[in-house]
Each structure stands twice: as C-alpha cells, then as structure tokens.
Amino acid sequence: MDSIIVRGGAELNGQIPIAGAKNACLALMPATLLSEEPLTLTNAPRLSDIRTMTTLLQSLGAEVSALAGGKVLAASSHGLTSSRADYEIVRKMRASNLVLGPLLAREGQAVVSLPGGCAIGARPMDIHIDALERLGAVIDLRDGYLHASAPAGLRGARVPLRFASVGATENVLMAATLAKGTTIIENAAREPEIVDLAQCLRKMGAQIEGEGTATITVQGVDRLHGATHAVVTDRIELGTYMLAPAFTGGEIECLGGRLDLVGAFVEKLEAAGLEIEETERGLKVRRAAGRPRAVNVVTEPFPGFPTDLQAQMMAMLCTAEGTSVLEERIFENRFMHAPELMRMGARIDLSGGTARVTGVERLRGAPVMATDLRASVSLILAGLGAEGETVVSRVYHLDRGYEQVEQKLSAVGARIERVAA
Ligand code: UD1
C-alpha cells in the first residue's frame, strides 16, 4: 500500500483546480439505469470510487466508458443483464446501494447486498427500505442481501423520511421518476448533490420540483431519455483545499469554488481568522497574521457544517489559539483521526460525539495511519503545517475521494510525495 510523505513548513501559494463532486457523480451514474438512452456526464472526478461504480454498473449490463482521461463518463443501459449488486462490490463502497431505487423502477426488481460495517459508523439502510416500501416495493433481507421487487410497479406516495438521509433521498428520488403518480418526499436531504441529481433527471425528462428544499415533489413519467450533464463542483474537496493556508500561510485560489456550496463552513473559517474573497474564477483564501483562532463546530445536514469536513477542521484547530469544541452529530464513530493527530502532538479530549481541542503552537511530524477518506486528508493537511516529516500510510482511502492530491498540492509549493510500498 502506498504512503504519502509530507515535509511541513512550506508556505502555499497559487491556484488549485477543484474537481467534480465524487458524491454527486456516484448518484448521477446509477441514474443511467433509468433510461435506455445514453447518459453523458462531464466534469467527472478521476477517483477509485468512480471506477468502483463503473464496475458495478457494468456488472448489471450497462456500458460505461471513461473518455477524456476519465473526465467524461459515457453510460448506456439499453440492455441490462442483471439486477444484482454483489457483496464484493458493495462492501468496498456503500454508495453502491444507489442502484437499488433505479433498478426497482426500471426492472421491477433488485437484489442489493447490505454494505456491512463501515469505519465511521453502523450506517444502516432502514430509511432507504422504508421509503421504497412506501412506493409499493416489497423488500426482504436474505443471505445478507436486500431482495426488492415491485410486483405491481412502483406507485407515487407520500414519503416522510425519519432523518434527511442523502442516500435515501437519492434512491427514492430516482425510483419516483418512473413511478405511477405523484411522490412527495418530506424531510428530504437538501445537499447540493441532490440538487445536481434532480437537475440531471429533469434533463432526462423527469418531472421534479423542490430539490434543495425539504419537500421534493415528483410526478412520475413513463420513460426517461438520454442527457448530458456536468457534475457540480466538489464542495468537500473545495473546503479541504480552502483550509490549507490556515496550516501553512500563503494564499490559495480554489478554481471553480462557489460560496453557496460552503456557506456554513466559510462562516467558521472567517471566525477562525481566514480571509475569503470571491474571484471571477473561484474562491481565494489567505490566513491573517498569526495562528488561527479556536471555533466551535457542530456537524449537521446541509446547509449546516458538513461531517465530511469535520476531520480537516479538527486538524486545523489543533494549532488554533484557544480551545475548540467539535460535535459530530451525523456519524457515531467519526473521530478516528483524533488519536493520529495526537501522535503529532495535538491536545484532544474525546467524550462520545464531542471532541475538545486545545490548540498547541505547532504539530510535529510523525508516522500516522489513514483510517478513512476524510481522516486521511486531514493528516496530510496537518503534516503540511507540522515541523519535520509526516508519513501517512494506508492512503488507498485518499484515492477514493481526492484526485491527484500530491500534484495539486506540490503545484502550490507543498513538499509532498507518494512512495509505493
Ligand atoms: C452521504 C455521503 C457521505 C456523507 C453523508 C452525510 C455519498 C456517496 N456519501 O452518505 O460522504 O458523509 O452523506 O452527509 O453521497 N442512516 C440511517 N439509516 C439509513 C440511512 C442513513 O440510520 O437508512 C444514518 C447513517 O447511519 C448516518 C446518517 O443517517 O448516521 C447520515 O447518513 P446518510 O445521509 O444516508 O449518508 P450517506 O448517503 O450514506
């Protein structure tokens, strides 16, 4: 397994291009299953999770090819051959469950493995199941697989979600596009990736209103057609690189960045003493003189502070002046980066879903281990600001969600390299 070596202390200056959103692309790709006509996605990120979804869709009989070096995905599902998402693929990536809704809608059946445990929490599927059952699906759990069928076809219904789950909203939204009648999703997730999916589905002929609000209304249609859609900017990659100057000083312009994607996050960055400016090409961030200031953070569904930026924010607060309190409310076990940061000299007290971080002057480089996707990038950021050398091992997590991280960071002055094991 590869490691990444970071030598801390270099100021960062320059531009970083932000890719299309992994999480949007992972929902847009299964939308191809809803139509016999081709779906073309542009601005796709080049990530291992996208290759995993490609393999899954191909295993169902869809044709998916990566063009322009992976930035364009051309998909077509005119002749599906299977409705089964195998454990071997699903266990690698929970987002594989996003084929459930589209397969049910198009084929009237789906067999999808339960994802199993995941490093950051239990992540059950109950909200997805309840939502699809309200549309008339019959779902049983056998041999670790959800066996879903819609004997009489899916029918539009009122679908209140007990929690605004991103994946469940996406699954039921896709299923409802081909259901008979009207579906009203209540307490829907409002993330920009849901808006992006709804916009793409509308290009495919779906009738959807209210995306980006808590109530989404879908009027089912008989069939969807082909479309071309550009994947929205990755707000998590954006937020990650916006944090970099807080660790190193300097000024970074994130190309393609948009304030509406990172509102709650930007408020916290400004409170911590970073200066953010909208430019013609994106968002520019610089650190005011001195250490950042402590801030308190609570993770929440969009438009709140995203859980996917909590690890990176914690790494930054390790050298802020004062004590910060971070509360993780989305996942029950998402502080695995904390003990690794403590190996670099951070002062963190964990208690349940709360972390109290007392800033120290400087972190010191150390060998650390990446435990999940966002944790791994938080350790790289910490290494950029630390004294000496940080070696981050198990970086395969990183490749799931960050394209060309070493290239993007070294282009703005970071001393970072990948070492193959
Ligand atoms: C998506 C994102 C992930 C992000 C998360 C929260 C993708 C591919 N992944 O994950 O990066 O961290 O949103 O913003 O888009 N839950 C249940 N039952 C369910 C479904 C979810 O209890 O049926 C719980 C989960 O365990 C978790 C919480 O709800 O505690 C949020 O999960 P959800 O919004 O569904 O996240 P994902 O769609 O899996």
Side-chain angles (χ1 to χ4, degrees):
M1 268 179 244
D2 295 359
S3 302
I4 287 193
I5 301 181
V6 186
R7 291 181 189 85
E11 192 179 282
L12 301 188
N13 283 290
Q15 297 178 323
I16 299 183
I18 306 300
K22 167 181 85 80
N23 287 350
C25 199
L26 288 174
L28 290 162
M29 292 172 76
T32 185
L33 299 170
L34 292 165
S35 171
E36 297 204 348
E37 294 179 22
L39 175 65
T40 303
L41 299 173
T42 61
N43 198 35
R46 289 158 288 179
L47 301 169
S48 64
D49 270 9
I50 300 302
R51 291 190 287 276
T52 303
M53 182 58 84
T54 299
T55 306
L56 172 57
L57 294 173
Q58 288 169 338
S59 78
L60 303 173
E63 288 166 20
V64 185
S65 15
L67 311 173
K71 285 198 107 171
V72 175
L73 297 170
S76 167
S77 302
H78 56 84
L80 295 181
T81 51
S82 164
S83 308
R84 181 183 167 93
D86 210 73
Y87 177 60
E88 281 312 307
I89 299 179
V90 181
R91 73 183 174 86
K92 284 193 203 152
M93 186 181 72
R94 178 180 162 86
S96 306
N97 64 28
L98 294 174
V99 300
L100 178 58
L103 280 175
L104 254 178
R106 166 92 179 269
E107 302 287 280
Q109 55 174 6
V111 179
V112 175
S113 170
L114 274 185
C118 146
I120 62 176
R123 300 180 91 174
M125 287 279 293
D126 59 309
I127 305 173
H128 300 244
I129 295 168
D130 178 69
L132 293 168
E133 283 179 343
R134 283 172 194 265
L135 296 189
V138 178
I139 304 181
D140 305 313
L141 174 64
R142 291 197 305 275
D143 319 321
Y145 282 77
L146 294 173
H147 294 253
S149 62
L154 295 175
R155 290 180 310 276
R158 213 186 117 238
V159 182
L161 306 183
R162 77 163 167 82
F163 174 82
S165 154
V166 174
T169 302
E170 291 165 344
N171 248 330
V172 71
L173 174 61
M174 287 191 275
T177 58
L178 292 178
K180 281 208 165 46
T182 308
T183 298
I184 302 171
I185 311 171
E186 295 170 1
N187 195 26
R190 291 179 281 166
E191 270 67 3
E193 294 75 29
I194 306 273
V195 174
D196 204 40
L197 175 63
Q199 285 172 351
C200 176
L201 292 169
R202 206 179 287 122
K203 287 180 197 163
M204 295 170 71
Q207 292 191 16
I208 301 170
E209 277 173 28
E211 74 275 12
T213 76
T215 307
I216 303 178
T217 306
V218 186
Q219 189 70 50
V221 295
D222 288 340
R223 55 185 293 278
L224 295 182
H225 50 76
T228 296
H229 181 78
V231 180
V232 67
T233 297
D234 195 316
R235 65 197 166 97
I236 307 301
E237 190 194 24
L238 170 64
T240 301
Y241 289 124
M242 285 178 78
L243 273 168
F247 291 82
T248 63
E251 185 177 279
I252 296 287
E253 186 177 18
C254 294
L255 304 178
R258 279 170 29 198
L259 277 180
D260 62 313
L261 297 174
V262 281
F265 173 73
V266 161
E267 272 175 35
K268 295 295 176 185
L269 288 196
E270 288 178 334
L274 289 168
E275 290 166 8
I276 292 146
E277 185 195 329
E278 262 183 294
T279 65
E280 274 183 11
R281 305 182 62 188
L283 296 176
K284 203 179 259 184
V285 188
R286 76 182 76 82
R287 182 175 78 180
R291 284 160 62 189
R293 291 189 293 272
V295 289
N296 296 337
V297 171
V298 178
T299 64
E300 285 169 333
F302 193 86
F305 190 100
T307 174
D308 287 349
L309 284 170
Q310 177 261 107
Q312 301 89 313
M313 190 73 178
M314 183 189 289
M316 193 268 271
L317 294 173
C318 288
T319 55
E321 265 180 86
T323 298
S324 310
V325 179
L326 288 107
E327 215 181 304
E328 173 55 60
R329 291 210 188 142
I330 306 293
F331 293 110
E332 68 270 26
N333 184 25
R334 205 173 197 184
F335 284 143
M336 279 102 56
H337 41 284
E340 301 297 318
L341 291 167
M342 284 153 79
R343 304 193 66 252
M344 300 176 72
R347 285 179 55 198
I348 305 170
D349 288 320
L350 294 181
S351 165
T354 302
R356 284 176 72 83
V357 182
T358 303
V360 296
E361 183 88 28
R362 194 122 198 236
L363 295 180
R364 288 180 303 277
V368 288
M369 197 180 287
T371 47
D372 69 57
L373 169 53
R374 308 305 172 183
S376 54
V377 84
S378 75
L379 298 171
I380 290 178
L381 289 175
L384 291 173
E387 200 179 294
E389 188 175 279
T390 299
V391 181
V392 185
S393 56
R394 300 187 68 180
V395 293
Y396 65 90
H397 291 293
L398 191 73
D399 299 327
R400 292 186 47 201
Y402 290 89
E403 65 170 40
Q404 302 186 320
V405 72
E406 314 93 273
Q407 290 89 331
K408 288 187 184 186
L409 284 170
S410 43
V412 294
R415 289 176 298 192
I416 178 169
E417 61 179 312
R418 181 180 290 249
V419 186

Coordinates of all heavy atoms in Angstrom, one line a residue, residues 290-367:
G290 N -0.5 35.5 12.2 CA -0.6 34.7 13.4 C -1.4 33.4 13.3 O -1.8 33.0 12.2
R291 N -1.6 32.7 14.4 CA -2.3 31.5 14.4 C -3.8 31.7 14.2 O -4.3 32.7 14.6 CB -2.1 30.8 15.8 CG -0.7 30.1 15.9 CD -0.3 29.9 17.4 NE -1.2 29.0 18.0 CZ -1.2 28.7 19.3 NH1 -0.3 29.4 20.1 NH2 -2.0 27.8 19.9
P292 N -4.5 30.6 13.7 CA -5.9 30.8 13.6 C -6.5 30.8 15.0 O -5.9 30.4 16.0 CB -6.4 29.5 12.9 CG -5.2 28.6 12.8 CD -4.0 29.4 13.1
R293 N -7.8 31.2 15.1 CA -8.5 31.2 16.4 C -9.4 30.0 16.6 O -9.9 29.5 15.6 CB -9.4 32.5 16.5 CG -8.6 33.8 16.6 CD -9.5 35.0 16.9 NE -10.4 35.2 15.8 CZ -10.2 36.0 14.7 NH1 -9.0 36.6 14.7 NH2 -11.0 36.2 13.8
A294 N -9.6 29.6 17.9 CA -10.5 28.5 18.2 C -11.9 28.8 17.7 O -12.4 29.9 17.9 CB -10.4 28.2 19.7
V295 N -12.6 27.8 17.2 CA -14.1 28.0 16.9 C -14.8 26.7 17.3 O -14.2 25.6 17.3 CB -14.4 28.3 15.4 CG1 -13.9 29.7 15.0 CG2 -13.8 27.2 14.5
N296 N -16.1 26.8 17.6 CA -16.8 25.6 17.9 C -17.6 25.1 16.7 O -18.1 26.0 15.9 CB -17.8 25.9 19.1 CG -17.1 26.2 20.3 OD1 -15.9 25.8 20.5 ND2 -17.7 26.9 21.2
V297 N -17.7 23.8 16.5 CA -18.3 23.3 15.2 C -19.3 22.2 15.6 O -19.0 21.3 16.4 CB -17.2 22.7 14.3 CG1 -17.8 22.0 13.1 CG2 -16.3 23.9 13.8
V298 N -20.5 22.2 15.0 CA -21.4 21.1 15.1 C -21.7 20.6 13.7 O -22.1 21.4 12.9 CB -22.7 21.6 15.8 CG1 -23.7 20.5 15.9 CG2 -22.5 22.2 17.2
T299 N -21.6 19.3 13.4 CA -21.9 18.9 12.1 C -23.4 18.6 12.0 O -24.0 18.1 12.9 CB -21.1 17.6 11.8 OG1 -21.6 16.5 12.6 CG2 -19.6 17.7 11.9
E300 N -23.9 19.0 10.8 CA -25.4 18.9 10.6 C -25.6 18.6 9.1 O -24.7 18.8 8.3 CB -26.0 20.2 10.9 CG -26.1 20.5 12.4 CD -26.5 21.9 12.6 OE1 -26.3 22.8 11.8 OE2 -27.2 22.1 13.7
P301 N -26.8 18.1 8.7 CA -27.1 18.0 7.3 C -27.0 19.4 6.7 O -27.1 20.4 7.3 CB -28.6 17.6 7.3 CG -28.8 16.9 8.6 CD -27.9 17.7 9.6
F302 N -26.8 19.5 5.3 CA -26.8 20.7 4.6 C -28.1 21.5 4.9 O -29.1 20.9 4.9 CB -26.7 20.4 3.1 CG -26.3 21.6 2.3 CD1 -25.0 22.0 2.1 CD2 -27.3 22.4 1.7 CE1 -24.6 23.1 1.3 CE2 -27.0 23.5 0.9 CZ -25.6 23.9 0.8
P303 N -28.0 22.8 5.1 CA -26.9 23.7 4.9 C -26.0 23.9 6.1 O -25.2 24.9 6.1 CB -27.6 25.1 4.6 CG -28.9 25.0 5.4 CD -29.3 23.6 5.4
G304 N -26.0 23.0 7.0 CA -25.1 23.1 8.2 C -23.7 22.7 7.8 O -23.4 22.4 6.7
F305 N -22.8 22.6 8.9 CA -21.4 22.3 8.7 C -21.3 20.8 8.3 O -21.8 20.0 9.0 CB -20.6 22.6 10.0 CG -19.1 22.5 9.8 CD1 -18.4 23.7 9.6 CD2 -18.5 21.3 9.7 CE1 -17.0 23.6 9.4 CE2 -17.1 21.2 9.6 CZ -16.4 22.4 9.4
P306 N -20.7 20.5 7.2 CA -20.7 19.1 6.7 C -19.8 18.2 7.5 O -18.6 18.5 7.8 CB -20.1 19.2 5.3 CG -19.5 20.5 5.1 CD -20.0 21.4 6.2
T307 N -20.3 17.0 7.8 CA -19.5 16.0 8.5 C -18.2 15.6 7.7 O -17.2 15.3 8.3 CB -20.3 14.7 8.8 OG1 -19.4 13.7 9.4 CG2 -21.0 14.2 7.6
D308 N -18.3 15.7 6.4 CA -17.1 15.3 5.6 C -16.0 16.4 5.7 O -14.9 16.2 5.1 CB -17.6 15.2 4.1 CG -18.4 13.9 3.9 OD1 -18.4 13.0 4.8 OD2 -18.9 13.7 2.8
L309 N -16.2 17.5 6.3 CA -15.1 18.5 6.6 C -14.7 18.5 8.0 O -13.9 19.4 8.4 CB -15.5 19.9 6.0 CG -15.5 20.0 4.5 CD1 -16.1 21.3 4.1 CD2 -14.0 19.9 4.0
Q310 N -15.3 17.7 8.9 CA -15.0 17.8 10.3 C -13.6 17.4 10.6 O -12.9 18.0 11.4 CB -16.0 16.9 11.0 CG -15.9 16.8 12.5 CD -15.1 15.5 12.9 OE1 -14.0 15.5 13.3 NE2 -15.8 14.4 12.7
A311 N -13.0 16.3 10.0 CA -11.7 15.9 10.3 C -10.7 16.9 9.9 O -9.7 17.2 10.7 CB -11.4 14.6 9.6
Q312 N -10.9 17.5 8.7 CA -9.9 18.6 8.2 C -10.0 19.8 9.2 O -8.9 20.4 9.5 CB -10.3 19.0 6.8 CG -10.3 17.9 5.8 CD -11.6 17.2 5.7 OE1 -12.3 16.8 6.7 NE2 -12.1 16.9 4.5
M313 N -11.2 20.1 9.6 CA -11.4 21.3 10.5 C -10.7 21.0 11.8 O -10.0 21.9 12.4 CB -12.9 21.6 10.7 CG -13.2 22.8 11.4 SD -12.9 24.2 10.3 CE -13.4 25.6 11.3
M314 N -10.9 19.8 12.3 CA -10.2 19.4 13.6 C -8.7 19.6 13.5 O -8.0 20.1 14.4 CB -10.6 18.0 14.0 CG -10.0 17.7 15.4 SD -10.1 15.9 15.9 CE -11.8 15.8 16.2
A315 N -8.1 19.1 12.4 CA -6.7 19.2 12.2 C -6.2 20.6 12.3 O -5.2 21.0 12.9 CB -6.3 18.6 10.9
M316 N -7.0 21.5 11.7 CA -6.7 22.9 11.7 C -6.8 23.5 13.1 O -5.9 24.3 13.5 CB -7.7 23.7 10.7 CG -7.3 25.1 10.4 SD -7.9 26.3 11.6 CE -9.5 26.6 10.8
L317 N -7.8 23.1 13.8 CA -8.0 23.7 15.2 C -6.9 23.2 16.2 O -6.8 23.7 17.3 CB -9.4 23.4 15.7 CG -10.5 24.1 14.8 CD1 -11.9 23.6 15.2 CD2 -10.4 25.6 14.9
C318 N -6.2 22.1 15.8 CA -5.1 21.6 16.7 C -4.0 22.7 16.9 O -3.3 22.6 17.9 CB -4.4 20.4 16.1 SG -5.5 19.0 16.1
T319 N -3.9 23.7 16.0 CA -2.9 24.7 16.3 C -3.5 26.1 16.4 O -2.9 27.1 16.3 CB -1.8 24.7 15.2 OG1 -2.5 24.9 13.9 CG2 -1.0 23.5 15.2
A320 N -4.8 26.1 16.7 CA -5.5 27.4 16.9 C -5.3 27.9 18.3 O -5.0 27.1 19.2 CB -7.0 27.2 16.6
E321 N -5.5 29.2 18.4 CA -5.3 29.8 19.8 C -6.6 29.6 20.5 O -7.7 30.0 20.1 CB -5.0 31.3 19.7 CG -3.5 31.5 19.7 CD -3.2 33.0 19.6 OE1 -3.2 33.7 20.7 OE2 -3.0 33.4 18.5
G322 N -6.5 28.8 21.7 CA -7.7 28.6 22.5 C -8.3 27.2 22.3 O -7.7 26.3 21.6
T323 N -9.4 26.9 23.0 CA -10.0 25.6 23.0 C -11.3 25.6 22.1 O -12.1 26.4 22.3 CB -10.3 25.2 24.4 OG1 -9.1 25.1 25.1 CG2 -11.0 23.8 24.4
S324 N -11.3 24.6 21.2 CA -12.5 24.5 20.3 C -13.3 23.2 20.7 O -12.7 22.2 21.1 CB -12.0 24.3 18.9 OG -11.1 25.2 18.5
V325 N -14.6 23.2 20.5 CA -15.4 22.1 20.8 C -16.0 21.6 19.5 O -16.7 22.4 18.8 CB -16.5 22.3 21.8 CG1 -17.3 21.1 22.1 CG2 -15.9 22.8 23.1
L326 N -15.8 20.4 19.1 CA -16.4 19.9 17.8 C -17.4 18.8 18.2 O -17.0 17.8 18.9 CB -15.3 19.2 16.9 CG -14.4 20.2 16.2 CD1 -13.0 20.1 16.8 CD2 -14.3 19.8 14.8
E327 N -18.6 18.9 17.7 CA -19.6 17.9 18.0 C -20.0 17.2 16.7 O -20.4 17.9 15.7 CB -20.8 18.7 18.6 CG -21.6 17.9 19.6 CD -22.8 18.7 20.1 OE1 -22.6 19.9 20.5 OE2 -23.9 18.2 20.0
E328 N -19.8 15.9 16.6 CA -20.2 15.1 15.4 C -21.6 14.5 15.6 O -21.8 13.7 16.5 CB -19.1 14.0 15.2 CG -19.5 13.0 14.1 CD -19.7 13.7 12.8 OE1 -18.8 14.4 12.2 OE2 -20.8 13.5 12.2
R329 N -22.5 15.0 14.8 CA -23.9 14.6 15.0 C -24.4 13.7 13.9 O -25.6 13.2 13.9 CB -24.9 15.8 15.1 CG -24.7 16.6 16.3 CD -26.0 17.3 16.7 NE -25.7 18.2 17.8 CZ -26.4 19.4 17.9 NH1 -27.2 19.7 17.0 NH2 -26.1 20.1 19.0
I330 N -23.6 13.4 12.8 CA -24.1 12.6 11.7 C -23.7 11.2 11.9 O -24.4 10.3 11.7 CB -23.6 13.2 10.4 CG1 -24.0 14.7 10.2 CG2 -24.2 12.4 9.2 CD1 -25.5 15.0 10.2
F331 N -22.4 11.0 12.2 CA -21.9 9.6 12.3 C -21.4 9.4 13.8 O -20.8 10.3 14.3 CB -20.7 9.3 11.3 CG -21.2 9.3 9.9 CD1 -20.9 10.3 9.0 CD2 -22.0 8.3 9.5 CE1 -21.4 10.3 7.7 CE2 -22.5 8.3 8.2 CZ -22.2 9.3 7.3
E332 N -21.6 8.2 14.3 CA -21.3 8.0 15.7 C -19.8 7.7 16.0 O -19.4 7.7 17.1 CB -22.2 6.8 16.3 CG -21.9 5.5 15.7 CD -22.8 5.1 14.5 OE1 -23.2 6.0 13.7 OE2 -23.0 3.9 14.3
N333 N -19.1 7.4 14.9 CA -17.7 7.0 15.2 C -16.7 7.7 14.2 O -16.1 7.0 13.5 CB -17.6 5.4 15.1 CG -16.3 4.9 15.4 OD1 -15.5 5.5 16.2 ND2 -15.9 3.8 14.9
R334 N -16.8 9.0 14.2 CA -16.0 9.6 13.2 C -14.9 10.5 13.8 O -14.6 11.6 13.3 CB -16.9 10.5 12.3 CG -16.3 10.7 11.0 CD -17.2 11.3 10.0 NE -16.6 11.0 8.6 CZ -17.1 11.5 7.5 NH1 -18.2 12.3 7.5 NH2 -16.5 11.2 6.4
F335 N -14.2 10.0 14.8 CA -13.1 10.7 15.3 C -11.8 9.9 15.3 O -10.9 10.1 16.1 CB -13.4 11.1 16.8 CG -14.3 12.3 17.0 CD1 -15.2 12.3 18.0 CD2 -14.3 13.4 16.1 CE1 -16.1 13.3 18.2 CE2 -15.2 14.4 16.3 CZ -16.1 14.4 17.3
M336 N -11.7 9.0 14.3 CA -10.5 8.1 14.3 C -9.2 8.9 14.0 O -8.2 8.4 14.2 CB -10.7 7.0 13.3 CG -11.5 5.8 13.9 SD -13.1 6.0 13.2 CE -12.7 6.0 11.5
H337 N -9.4 10.0 13.4 CA -8.2 10.9 13.1 C -7.6 11.5 14.3 O -6.5 11.8 14.4 CB -8.6 12.0 12.1 CG -9.9 12.6 12.4 ND1 -11.1 12.0 12.1 CD2 -10.3 13.7 13.0 CE1 -12.1 12.7 12.5 NE2 -11.6 13.8 13.0
A338 N -8.5 11.6 15.4 CA -8.0 12.3 16.6 C -6.8 11.6 17.2 O -5.8 12.3 17.5 CB -9.1 12.4 17.6
P339 N -6.8 10.3 17.5 CA -5.6 9.7 18.1 C -4.4 9.8 17.1 O -3.2 9.9 17.6 CB -6.0 8.2 18.2 CG -7.4 8.1 18.1 CD -7.9 9.3 17.3
E340 N -4.6 9.9 15.8 CA -3.4 10.0 14.9 C -2.9 11.5 15.1 O -1.7 11.7 15.1 CB -3.9 9.8 13.5 CG -4.4 8.4 13.2 CD -3.4 7.3 13.5 OE1 -2.3 7.4 13.1 OE2 -3.8 6.2 14.1
L341 N -3.8 12.4 15.1 CA -3.4 13.8 15.3 C -2.6 14.0 16.7 O -1.7 14.7 16.8 CB -4.6 14.8 15.3 CG -5.2 14.9 13.9 CD1 -6.6 15.6 14.0 CD2 -4.3 15.7 12.9
M342 N -3.1 13.2 17.7 CA -2.4 13.3 19.0 C -1.0 12.7 18.9 O -0.1 13.2 19.6 CB -3.3 12.5 20.0 CG -4.5 13.3 20.4 SD -5.9 12.3 21.0 CE -5.4 11.9 22.6
R343 N -0.7 11.8 18.0 CA 0.6 11.3 17.8 C 1.5 12.4 17.2 O 2.7 12.4 17.3 CB 0.6 10.1 16.8 CG -0.3 9.0 17.3 CD -0.1 7.7 16.6 NE 1.3 7.2 16.9 CZ 2.3 7.1 16.0 NH1 2.1 7.6 14.8 NH2 3.4 6.7 16.4
M344 N 0.9 13.4 16.7 CA 1.7 14.6 16.1 C 1.7 15.7 17.2 O 2.2 16.8 16.9 CB 1.0 15.1 14.9 CG 1.0 14.0 13.8 SD 0.1 14.6 12.3 CE 1.3 15.8 11.6
G345 N 1.2 15.5 18.4 CA 1.3 16.4 19.5 C 0.0 17.2 19.7 O 0.0 18.2 20.5
A346 N -1.1 16.9 19.1 CA -2.3 17.6 19.3 C -2.9 17.3 20.7 O -2.6 16.2 21.2 CB -3.3 17.2 18.2
R347 N -3.6 18.2 21.3 CA -4.2 18.0 22.6 C -5.7 17.9 22.4 O -6.4 18.9 22.1 CB -3.9 19.1 23.5 CG -2.5 19.0 24.1 CD -2.1 20.2 25.0 NE -3.1 20.3 26.1 CZ -3.2 21.4 26.8 NH1 -2.4 22.5 26.5 NH2 -4.1 21.5 27.8
I348 N -6.2 16.7 22.4 CA -7.7 16.4 22.1 C -8.3 15.5 23.2 O -7.7 14.5 23.5 CB -7.8 15.7 20.7 CG1 -7.1 16.5 19.6 CG2 -9.3 15.5 20.4 CD1 -7.0 15.8 18.3
D349 N -9.4 16.0 23.7 CA -10.1 15.1 24.7 C -11.4 14.6 24.0 O -12.2 15.5 23.5 CB -10.6 15.9 25.9 CG -9.4 16.2 26.8 OD1 -8.5 15.3 27.0 OD2 -9.3 17.3 27.3
L350 N -11.6 13.3 23.9 CA -12.8 12.8 23.3 C -13.8 12.3 24.3 O -13.4 11.7 25.3 CB -12.4 11.6 22.4 CG -11.5 11.9 21.2 CD1 -11.3 10.5 20.4 CD2 -12.2 12.9 20.3
S351 N -15.0 12.7 24.1 CA -16.1 12.1 25.0 C -17.3 11.9 24.2 O -17.9 12.9 23.7 CB -16.3 13.1 26.1 OG -17.5 12.8 26.8
G352 N -17.7 10.7 23.9 CA -18.8 10.4 23.0 C -18.6 11.1 21.6 O -17.6 11.0 21.0
G353 N -19.6 11.9 21.3 CA -19.6 12.5 20.0 C -19.0 13.9 20.0 O -19.1 14.7 19.1
T354 N -18.2 14.2 21.1 CA -17.7 15.5 21.3 C -16.2 15.5 21.4 O -15.6 14.6 22.1 CB -18.3 16.2 22.5 OG1 -19.7 16.2 22.4 CG2 -17.8 17.6 22.7
A355 N -15.5 16.4 20.7 CA -14.0 16.5 20.9 C -13.7 17.9 21.3 O -14.2 18.9 20.8 CB -13.3 16.2 19.5
R356 N -12.9 18.0 22.4 CA -12.4 19.3 22.8 C -10.9 19.4 22.4 O -10.1 18.6 22.8 CB -12.4 19.4 24.4 CG -13.8 19.6 24.9 CD -13.7 19.6 26.4 NE -13.1 20.8 27.0 CZ -13.7 22.0 27.1 NH1 -15.0 22.1 26.9 NH2 -13.1 23.0 27.6
V357 N -10.6 20.4 21.6 CA -9.3 20.5 21.0 C -8.6 21.8 21.6 O -9.2 22.9 21.4 CB -9.4 20.6 19.5 CG1 -8.0 20.7 18.9 CG2 -10.2 19.5 18.9
T358 N -7.5 21.6 22.3 CA -6.8 22.8 22.8 C -5.6 23.0 21.9 O -4.7 22.1 21.8 CB -6.4 22.5 24.3 OG1 -7.6 22.3 25.0 CG2 -5.7 23.8 24.9
G359 N -5.6 24.2 21.3 CA -4.5 24.4 20.3 C -3.1 24.4 20.9 O -2.9 24.9 22.0
V360 N -2.2 23.9 20.2 CA -0.8 24.0 20.6 C -0.1 24.9 19.5 O -0.6 25.1 18.4 CB -0.1 22.6 20.6 CG1 -0.7 21.7 21.7 CG2 -0.2 21.9 19.3
E361 N 1.1 25.3 19.8 CA 1.8 26.2 18.9 C 2.0 25.6 17.5 O 1.8 26.1 16.5 CB 3.1 26.6 19.6 CG 4.0 27.6 18.8 CD 3.6 29.0 19.2 OE1 3.2 29.3 20.3 OE2 3.8 29.9 18.3
R362 N 2.5 24.3 17.6 CA 2.9 23.6 16.3 C 2.7 22.2 16.5 O 3.0 21.6 17.6 CB 4.3 24.0 16.1 CG 4.8 23.7 14.7 CD 5.4 24.9 14.0 NE 5.4 24.6 12.5 CZ 6.5 24.6 11.8 NH1 7.6 25.0 12.3 NH2 6.4 24.3 10.5
L363 N 2.3 21.4 15.4 CA 2.4 20.0 15.5 C 3.7 19.5 15.0 O 4.5 20.2 14.4 CB 1.3 19.4 14.6 CG -0.2 19.7 15.0 CD1 -1.2 19.0 14.0 CD2 -0.5 19.2 16.4
R364 N 4.1 18.2 15.4 CA 5.3 17.7 14.9 C 5.1 16.5 14.0 O 4.2 15.7 14.4 CB 6.2 17.3 16.2 CG 6.7 18.5 17.0 CD 7.5 18.0 18.1 NE 6.8 17.1 19.0 CZ 6.0 17.5 20.0 NH1 5.8 18.8 20.2 NH2 5.3 16.6 20.7
G365 N 5.8 16.4 13.0 CA 5.7 15.2 12.0 C 5.8 13.9 12.8 O 6.5 13.8 13.8
A366 N 5.1 12.9 12.2 CA 5.1 11.6 12.8 C 4.6 10.6 11.8 O 3.9 11.0 10.8 CB 4.2 11.5 14.1
P367 N 4.9 9.3 12.0 CA 4.2 8.3 11.1 C 2.7 8.1 11.6 O 2.5 8.0 12.8 CB 5.0 7.0 11.4 CG 5.9 7.3 12.5 CD 5.8 8.7 12.9

